[in-house]
Amino acid sequence: MEQINLTGQIRWIGKVDDRKVPFHRLILEKGTTYNSYFIDAEKPAVIDTVDILFGKEYVENLSKMTDLTKLEYIIINHVEPDHSGALPALAAKASKAVIVCTKLAEDELKKMFRLYNREFLIVKDGDQLELGGVTLEFIETPYLHTAETMMTYAKEDQILFSCDIFSTHIANFELFNDIAKQEYTEDFRVYYDLIMAPHRPYVRDMLKKIEQLPIKMIAPSHGYILRGDPQKFITIYNQKSELNLSGKERRVVIAYATMTGNTGKVAALLSKQLTDAGIEVSVFHLKDADLGEVADRIKESNGFLIGSATRYGDMVGNVEELLKMIQAEDVAGKPAAAFGSYGWSGEAIAHVEDYLVQFGAKVVNQKFLIQNMGVEEAIFPLRIRFSAEEQKERIENAGRIFAEQIMAAK
Ligand code: FEO
């Protein structure tokens, strides 16, 4: 296998896949690469692997390059099988290697590959790992594009192993962008639009985390290694993820009924996230509201959230009365979601969602999130059992996700 060096100690050990590759209900017409990296330090390490289809070939190639029994770490930035697919084959040969990943990734890898008897090292934002001459720092990047994802930064060499972020789906044998024989910036942009854009707020978080890092090279998981002008690609992400409010004034209605005040607290936390995203929010506590006016405001809005506590398995207050006043033709296609807090089974939230589905609204729920964002967690409908304060982070995350749907809506 030809050696492709990023530095004296760091090598590309991936696979160029120049087939038409099926991926997330798309066909990657230009193929892709699975970029895995070997760090030949005092404590040797591998960053990510390749797609499961090429696992055997990958491990055979790597074992010609190094004694796998001496491999100390296998760093998995992302669990998806195009990154971790060769992990079982590699881990079997590299029997002493510790698997380094986030907590969420550990749970998933153990289940996916039955790695229950394997040693894991769980890392979080800012943790460092000394390999001997190479210091790695880990940067968590949740939802880019799945919850468990992280990046790895080699401090001395100033290389950012950015996982799916800053990738391009394009098969190429030059591997480095500064010797590319083809134009690829448009493919880089398209990749952002398809994979990263649905997670725009998390892109902003990630950019903030790396803004102070000196970066000489970005080594992503797919496509070109960005050795020539890496800052240009960070700037593209910066520009594409900017919240452009010009001509995009957006209005959202949050209407709710509460029993103990907890659903009201959820409404307030959601409202704060939407407001922070530049959206005009009208919050109605239905106990005191003119339902006709609320229905009108929903009709004029760009999206709406309906919340209800649950009492005797049903909605409370005037929630159902309001829902009966809403005309399907007035809200069809608008982003909408249900939320509420509850103590026992929270049926009201499901009843609200039934109405939203009947209206033909663009219901933001678990099915929607799986299909559109690859997010499996039950974020919406937002069901908060007992204290809103204790689940503040979850509610804020839901608010950001809903805000994104509003900003993305035509
Ligand atoms: Fe490259 Fe999320 O897989």
Side-chain angles (χ1 to χ4, degrees), residues 23 78 80 82-83 145 164 191 222:
F23 181 79
H78 176 33
E80 244 185 342
D82 54 322
H83 298 238
H145 59 110
D164 277 337
Y191 180 98
H222 306 292

Side-chain angles (χ1 to χ4, degrees), residues 108-124:
E108 293 177 14
L109 290 171
K110 281 185 172 171
K111 285 179 194 147
M112 272 168 67
F113 299 126
R114 302 188 173 279
L115 292 165
Y116 295 109
N117 298 317
R118 195 73 194 201
E119 188 181 348
F120 277 78
L121 173 66
I122 304 308
V123 290
K124 51 188 185 336

Side-chain angles (χ1 to χ4, degrees), residues 108-387:
E108 293 177 14
L109 290 171
K110 281 185 172 171
K111 285 179 194 147
M112 272 168 67
F113 299 126
R114 302 188 173 279
L115 292 165
Y116 295 109
N117 298 317
R118 195 73 194 201
E119 188 181 348
F120 277 78
L121 173 66
I122 304 308
V123 290
K124 51 188 185 336
D125 240 0
D127 284 356
Q128 297 195 359
L129 182 64
E130 186 51 64
L131 302 180
V134 178
T135 311
L136 300 179
E137 182 169 327
F138 303 100
I139 302 163
E140 289 183 82
T141 53
Y143 300 106
L144 296 180
H145 59 110
T146 49
E148 86 298 342
T149 312
M150 67 174 188
M151 303 194 284
T152 299
Y153 177 65
K155 289 184 81 164
E156 292 81 359
D157 295 303
Q158 302 181 354
I159 300 177
L160 182 66
F161 297 94
S162 60
C163 192
D164 277 337
I165 304 159
F166 302 121
S167 282
T168 316
H169 279 312
I170 188 163
N172 74 92
F173 291 89
E174 298 87 40
L175 292 170
F176 294 96
N177 71 321
D178 54 349
I179 52 169
K181 292 191 178 128
Q182 60 191 321
E183 163 53 36
Y184 58 89
T185 311
E186 191 48 35
D187 295 281
F188 178 87
R189 289 175 174 277
V190 167
Y191 180 98
Y192 176 92
D193 294 341
L194 291 174
I195 311 290
M196 295 294 150
H199 309 272
R200 190 198 60 80
Y202 301 97
V203 174
R204 300 306 294 179
D205 291 347
M206 177 276 297
L207 290 170
K208 215 169 183 49
K209 287 184 186 183
I210 65 168
E211 71 186 356
Q212 300 301 330
L213 281 188
I215 295 172
K216 275 196 189 144
M217 201 186 302
I218 299 175
S221 293
H222 306 292
Y224 287 106
I225 298 167
L226 306 169
R227 186 170 62 183
D229 197 3
Q231 192 55 47
K232 169 183 155 183
F233 301 93
I234 296 172
T235 302
I236 292 175
Y237 267 48
N238 227 322
Q239 289 167 343
K240 284 181 100 46
S241 63
E242 250 168 9
L243 191 59
N244 182 3
L245 292 173
S246 58
K248 262 195 148 186
E249 289 74 24
R250 302 282 157 144
R251 289 188 295 272
V252 163
V253 171
I254 301 177
Y256 71 94
T258 189
M259 284 171 61
T260 62
N262 218 26
T263 297
K265 286 177 188 160
V266 179
L269 286 166
L270 289 170
S271 171
K272 164 94 172 57
Q273 292 304 309
L274 290 159
T275 305
D276 286 353
I279 294 164
E280 184 188 312
V281 186
S282 304
V283 182
F284 294 99
H285 181 182
L286 295 178
K287 182 167 166 269
D288 308 315
D290 174 335
L291 297 187
E293 190 202 332
V294 179
D296 285 346
R297 295 286 280 274
I298 287 173
K299 181 179 169 182
E300 292 158 7
S301 74
N302 299 100
F304 59 106
L305 289 145
I306 305 285
S308 178
T310 296
R311 186 163 185 254
Y312 301 137
D314 210 343
M315 296 169 270
V316 302
N318 295 329
V319 172
E320 189 158 26
E321 211 175 323
L322 170 70
L323 289 166
K324 284 180 174 166
M325 292 172 78
I326 295 172
Q327 302 298 314
E329 61 268 29
D330 292 337
V331 296
K334 286 187 200 285
F339 70 95
S341 81
Y342 64 99
W344 286 268
S345 43
E347 294 91 336
I349 305 154
H351 297 322
V352 170
E353 190 171 292
D354 283 348
Y355 272 94
L356 304 181
V357 171
Q358 278 173 35
F359 293 151
K362 182 178 166 188
V363 181
V364 181
N365 56 16
Q366 196 173 6
K367 181 180 168 191
F368 175 91
L369 293 170
I370 290 169
Q371 287 177 337
N372 292 277
M373 296 177 71
V375 172
E376 203 179 322
E377 292 160 71
I379 295 170
F380 277 113
L382 182 59
R383 298 166 50 82
I384 299 299
R385 191 160 192 204
F386 300 124
S387 166

